[in-house]
Amino acid sequence: MSIKFVARTVLPTEWGKFDIFGFEDDETGKEHLALALGDLKSSNDPLICRVHSECLTGDALGSLRCDCGSQLQYAMQSIGEAGSGLILYLRQEGRGIGLLNKLRAYALQDEGADTVEANVALGFSADERDYQVCQPILKFLEVAQVRLLTNNPKKVEALEALGVEVTEVLPVHTGENPHNEKYLSIKAEKMGHWR
């Protein structure tokens, strides 16, 4: 898989001044981001890193149906407090099924399906995401070791399969509320996510 570096600029946030890198996937045309805080090469210690899949409803609209927006904010805050770190923001809406299919899945959940059953009913697997794009982005940024902010063991497996050393898993306990209680339980029971 190959990517094209497109641009780098500064993104000031309440958690610090991040450098934001834009990449384009040569194969799919999808655009991905890397948000880096601090000098990624200044320490021999593995970087705090979050691999975050786009969630318009959670990240931008504040949806309580998931914990995505809270996890993204938690990652930015954790990196800000540490003084350095990295977020890979991947354009894989709805665990890879796209925004409109995610809304269709939500409608099925409104009728009683859980998050996995809804994806399967629409003809998808429980999780359609692909993390291969992480490898060329991390290579471009010269990052080989990470302390991964995640509750998803499949992200750890995917990065390690790509040759990225995950030295530590940092659980993300945030964003639980009455609206996403069933969703989080199903992710743990059916998809093996840690809680």
Side-chain angles (χ1 to χ4, degrees), residues 151-171:
N151 296 330
N152 184 350
K154 287 191 170 58
K155 284 185 187 177
V156 177
E157 293 167 13
L159 288 183
E160 290 180 337
L162 293 168
V164 178
E165 185 181 350
V166 178
T167 64
E168 184 180 2
V169 175
L170 305 170

Side-chain angles (χ1 to χ4, degrees), residues 65-77:
R65 289 184 82 135
C66 64
D67 56 344
C68 303
S70 293
Q71 288 188 344
L72 179 60
Q73 290 181 8
Y74 178 86
M76 293 180 80
Q77 179 181 348

Side-chain angles (χ1 to χ4, degrees), residues 39-48 84 143 145-147 167:
D39 182 357
L40 303 185
K41 302 169 197 168
S42 66
S43 172
N44 292 329
D45 296 330
L47 278 179
I48 295 175
S84 66
V143 173
Q145 296 180 319
V146 296
R147 298 168 61 216
T167 64

Side-chain angles (χ1 to χ4, degrees), residues 6-121:
V6 177
R8 174 184 181 174
T9 189
V10 175
L11 184 72
T13 75
E14 65 180 281
W15 302 283
K17 193 181 286 187
F18 286 78
D19 287 318
I20 185 166
F21 299 79
F23 301 91
E24 185 176 8
D25 183 327
D26 289 333
E27 188 177 311
T28 66
K30 286 188 177 181
E31 300 165 338
H32 304 285
L33 302 174
L35 287 84
L37 184 70
D39 182 357
L40 303 185
K41 302 169 197 168
S42 66
S43 172
N44 292 329
D45 296 330
L47 278 179
I48 295 175
C49 179
R50 166 102 182 135
V51 176
H52 189 87
S53 295
E54 175 184 40
C55 176
L56 177 73
T57 52
D59 297 343
L61 302 178
S63 172
L64 297 177
R65 289 184 82 135
C66 64
D67 56 344
C68 303
S70 293
Q71 288 188 344
L72 179 60
Q73 290 181 8
Y74 178 86
M76 293 180 80
Q77 179 181 348
S78 297
I79 289 167
E81 289 171 356
S84 66
L86 180 65
I87 297 171
L88 302 187
Y89 193 88
L90 309 181
R91 303 297 300 275
Q92 302 193 103
E93 182 75 47
R95 291 200 308 272
I97 67 173
L99 179 59
L100 297 182
N101 281 322
K102 180 168 88 169
L103 297 182
R104 290 182 181 102
Y106 276 178
L108 292 173
Q109 291 171 46
D110 292 342
E111 296 171 6
D114 67 40
T115 184
V116 171
E117 293 165 346
N119 277 25
V120 170

